[in-house]
Amino acid sequence: MATVVWAPGALDALAAAHGDASPGGAAAAGAIASAIALLAAHQHVGEADLQGTILWGELALDGRLRRAPGAIVVADTARRSGISRVILPRDGASEAAAIPGVDVFVADRLVDVVDALEGRRELDRATPPDPTVRRHDQDVDLSDVRG
């Protein structure tokens, strides 16, 4: 998981875990945070704009944001840490929105995240899925279950 640590007035650290840099891996999932940290280090994004925010997801070469595993865990970790805002790719953000006490916002492209952090646009809020509705096209797939 990539972690961006911010302190008032200074960018303290940008660290990416290198255990799995493959697409869908932990390092890839922190690509949005890494890109924003680089922009902040070069004063393209204000550090103050990042306070209380977690960014999570994969970043395509063309700037599109992609779903990354762990969005629910990231939202729950934000809640437990007192972080109020999580920004995720649109795909998969609804599940994270089910975590109470965290505002989950969605973005489609990196430029959308930058614009939102700089106050030039509003991001859409993710809405939690309706637990009473089961889509007919959802087949039970246990291929991701480990253990």
Side-chain angles (χ1 to χ4, degrees):
M1 177 165 108
T3 304
V4 180
V5 180
W6 301 100
L11 174 63
D12 286 340
L14 168 64
H18 299 289
D20 185 1
S22 63
I32 297 170
S34 297
I36 294 296
L38 287 172
L39 290 170
H42 293 279
Q43 287 83 42
H44 296 291
V45 173
E47 292 177 31
D49 300 324
L50 292 164
Q51 295 297 324
T53 302
I54 289 182
L55 305 155
W56 187 254
E58 292 186 22
L59 177 61
L61 292 175
D62 65 359
R64 286 180 295 128
L65 307 184
R66 295 183 185 159
R67 177 186 194 142
I72 296 171
V73 174
V74 168
D76 188 51
T77 300
R79 179 187 57 83
R80 291 180 198 215
S81 302
I83 295 172
S84 60
R85 180 171 64 169
V86 176
I87 300 175
L88 300 169
R90 188 172 304 276
D91 183 30
S94 64
E95 292 87 358
I99 302 296
V102 177
D103 295 323
V104 177
F105 295 92
V106 298
D108 297 309
R109 302 182 58 79
L110 183 62
V111 70
D112 299 336
V113 176
V114 172
D115 286 347
L117 291 172
E118 292 291 311
R120 290 187 295 267
R121 71 165 297 175
E122 299 266 331
L123 293 176
D124 294 335
R125 281 186 188 267
T127 56
D130 184 347
T132 63
V133 176
R134 178 173 163 85
R135 293 185 358 217
H136 295 291
D137 63 342
Q138 285 181 323
D139 292 327
V140 175
D141 179 9
L142 300 178
S143 66
D144 291 332
V145 175
R146 295 179 183 161

